[in-house]
Amino acid sequence: MFRSRSKDEQAATAKVTADQPQQPRDPQAPKGRPTPKRSDSQSQRRARAHTPTNRKDATKAQREARRADMAKQREAMASGDERYLPARDKGPVRRFARDFVDSRWCVAEFFLPLAVVILVLTMVRVPSIQTIALLLWLAIIVLIVLDSIGIWIRLGKRLNERFPNENLKGVKAYAVMRTLQMRRLRLPKPQVKRGEQP
């Protein structure tokens, strides 16, 4: 049962298989899969040739690819190139929202410099100046809220006019969050000047 086959048995099985005629495949019969294009097969061959052999090389290759992608994204953020922008910034709707915000003055973009001034005023040990600083805090917060509501409503109307069949979910919040950044620090970089129509 577990012994190796004898030479006679091996010869007999070889003879039986040799006696069976090989049926050639009909040239008109389908082979069950489409013929790959030459460019596809060459690219697969190249990919197999450059596949790293160990884990360390594979990790290094992934890191390099990620670094190259991030460099492309940084360039796209600076130039506004749609092809390499992150998914949250892609598309004509998001571009319109960015241009809508960048074309106007917003109260929220001055929040950080004003916050520094107010903090300095609160450190002064004069009660009247501290009261003025607290009133300034309140005034700035109210102005930012009112300005954000105004942008939310006006942008909503413009988006409904311009992109009636598009998915507008999250676009107004995206625009309001952009107002909180100083114009110089916004990414992707502003593509319109203040006062221009988006």
Side-chain angles (χ1 to χ4, degrees):
M1 183 172 156
F2 294 109
R3 63 185 173 81
S4 63
R5 293 185 346 188
S6 66
K7 290 181 182 176
D8 295 335
E9 288 175 8
Q10 288 177 355
T13 55
K15 188 178 179 184
V16 169
T17 55
D19 290 344
Q20 292 176 348
Q22 286 281 343
Q23 289 188 354
R25 190 175 67 81
D26 181 17
Q28 301 298 320
K31 62 185 175 188
R33 60 180 173 81
T35 304
K37 291 183 180 176
R38 177 177 283 183
S39 59
D40 293 342
S41 59
Q42 284 177 347
S43 66
Q44 286 176 353
R45 217 175 307 130
R46 278 194 212 104
R48 266 186 257 120
H50 296 302
T51 304
T53 53
N54 59 14
R55 237 170 85 183
K56 187 176 179 182
D57 292 341
T59 325
K60 188 176 179 182
Q62 280 180 342
R63 198 178 311 124
E64 291 296 325
R66 200 175 318 117
R67 196 173 290 144
D69 288 344
M70 293 300 288
K72 281 183 185 176
Q73 276 191 5
R74 273 194 300 274
E75 288 174 21
M77 289 287 212
S79 65
D81 187 359
E82 285 278 331
R83 291 173 297 172
Y84 302 113
L85 286 177
R88 71 182 174 91
D89 296 314
K90 275 187 180 174
V93 178
R94 298 285 172 130
R95 183 180 180 95
F96 179 79
R98 286 195 303 270
D99 292 346
F100 183 85
V101 168
D102 295 336
S103 66
R104 63 191 67 242
W105 293 92
C106 302
V107 178
E109 67 184 286
F110 300 108
F111 176 73
L112 284 177
L114 289 172
V116 171
V117 170
I118 291 170
L119 281 173
V120 169
L121 289 175
T122 55
M123 289 181 197
V124 176
R125 294 288 176 202
V126 178
S128 60
I129 293 177
Q130 288 182 339
T131 307
I132 291 170
L134 289 173
L135 289 173
L136 274 173
W137 267 123
L138 186 63
I140 287 169
I141 290 169
V142 168
L143 285 173
I144 288 173
V145 169
L146 291 175
D147 191 37
S148 299
I149 291 170
I151 287 172
W152 188 281
I153 293 168
R154 281 177 296 189
L155 179 62
K157 286 179 184 174
R158 295 285 300 276
L159 286 171
N160 288 329
E161 290 169 8
R162 192 119 176 210
F163 306 99
N165 300 324
E166 294 282 336
N167 180 14
L168 304 177
K169 185 178 180 184
V171 178
K172 292 184 273 190
Y174 171 77
V176 169
M177 290 303 292
R178 189 169 174 86
T179 63
L180 296 173
Q181 299 166 330
M182 292 168 62
R183 183 182 167 89
R184 196 179 301 166
L185 303 177
R186 290 177 186 163
L187 288 174
K189 295 276 186 197
Q191 301 293 313
V192 294
K193 294 178 182 175
R194 292 194 203 270
E196 274 185 37
Q197 286 297 319

